[in-house]
Amino acid sequence: MPALKIKDLSIGTLRKTNFTLQSGRITCISGPSGSGKSRLLRAIADLESHTGDIFLGNKPQGTYPAHKWRRQVMMIPAQSAWWEDTVGEHFLTPMPAALKALGFPEDAARWQVNRLSSGEKQRLALIRAVSYKPQVLLLDEPTANLDADSTQMVELWLTGLIKKYQLPTIWVAHSYMQIQRVAHLHLAIVDSQLEEQEIHL
Ligand SMILES: Nc1ncnc2c1ncn2[C@@H]1O[C@H](COP(=O)(O)OP(=O)(O)OP(=O)(O)O)[C@@H](O)[C@H]1O
């Protein structure tokens, strides 16, 4: 997959920032609550207006219709929205292997959405996003609602997928242990700027 380049991007309080998401590499972003991590992801996904330029390969964000950009540069928020009655109706293609990998029984695609726990919703939202075959993943605290076992399943599944399809990825994380497990690059928001941090101290 092509790299995603971010050039002079400003959004909210976050000052002009430049970085590149390389194919198959996970960039973890950390920072205090309210420092602008989610807004940065929303800007990259073209869900909020911003200044600066974003390129997928050599193509600028502005040359894509917003809905096409969002399908390729896919943001998965920590709290997901669901609109159909059953889980499977939200998937572009059936995802039996992914359901199994994330600990769901075979019939989970037929489950009613209104029965889902917050942890189930979070895992199923990841599967839904991947069913659209995105080129870039923007993961906003993908294990925020999960216990240790589910966190491990999600980390294994996501890291395998990112490597297999060479997806450039942002992974917002609060846990330093998780950053050590998954990150190739760690950027922290410090005083309204992104600063590169050591991953293994
Ligand atoms: N559309 C908006 N217009 C103005 N301010 C906003 C908007 N959306 C969010 N904010 C504010 O911008 C700041 C950053 O919000 P953001 O959700 O990006 O934080 P965050 O770093 O992801 O925090 P957390 O770790 O708590 O999720 C917050 O103070 C928030 O209230």
Side-chain angles (χ1 to χ4, degrees):
M1 293 296 171
L4 190 88
K5 287 188 211 101
I6 288 140
K7 203 163 171 280
D8 294 339
L9 178 74
S10 296
I11 171 89
T13 55
L14 191 66
R15 280 186 248 135
K16 270 193 184 177
T17 183
N18 289 281
F19 59 99
T20 298
L21 303 179
Q22 303 287 358
S23 305
R25 313 287 281 177
I26 298 174
T27 300
C28 278
I29 295 189
S30 66
S33 191
S35 59
K37 304 178 295 296
S38 301
R39 289 193 85 185
L40 172 61
L41 263 51
R42 290 176 60 78
I44 297 171
D46 201 11
L47 290 160
E48 263 200 66
S49 59
H50 56 85
T51 59
D53 299 309
I54 304 175
F55 300 87
L56 183 57
N58 293 321
K59 282 191 77 179
Q61 190 182 53
T63 62
Y64 289 81
H67 68 284
K68 287 205 170 145
W69 178 267
R70 286 175 201 150
R71 213 160 140 156
Q72 294 180 42
V73 181
M74 177 81 78
M75 176 169 179
I76 300 110
Q79 309 296 337
S80 55
W82 298 81
W83 48 90
E84 306 289 357
D85 290 339
T86 65
V87 168
E89 288 171 90
H90 296 81
F91 296 170
L92 187 65
T93 49
M95 299 289 285
L99 286 169
K100 194 171 174 204
L102 294 192
F104 289 99
E106 276 174 23
D107 70 344
R110 292 196 296 276
W111 286 358
Q112 293 287 314
V113 161
N114 58 16
R115 67 165 268 187
L116 299 175
S117 74
S118 57
E120 287 167 347
K121 274 189 186 154
Q122 186 157 33
R123 282 177 289 152
L124 290 165
L126 292 166
I127 298 175
R128 173 178 66 190
V130 168
S131 80
Y132 281 86
K133 301 188 174 27
Q135 298 199 24
V136 177
L137 289 180
L138 307 175
L139 307 168
D140 199 353
E141 299 189 54
T143 62
N145 301 304
L146 306 182
D147 62 20
D149 285 349
S150 295
T151 295
Q152 195 186 18
M153 279 192 277
V154 166
E155 284 181 5
L156 259 176
W157 180 69
L158 280 173
T159 52
L161 196 85
I162 290 160
K163 191 169 174 207
K164 181 170 175 195
Y165 296 106
Q166 287 294 295
L167 301 171
T169 300
I170 291 184
W171 184 316
V172 172
H174 279 294
S175 154
Y176 189 67
M177 305 280 277
Q178 181 169 70
I179 293 170
Q180 286 193 319
R181 289 193 296 270
V182 304
H184 299 104
L185 177 69
H186 177 198
L187 302 174
I189 301 182
V190 181
D191 296 333
S192 302
Q193 303 204 62
L194 279 179
E195 264 186 27
E196 187 173 342
Q197 308 278 313
E198 291 279 334
I199 297 170
H200 300 286
L201 295 175

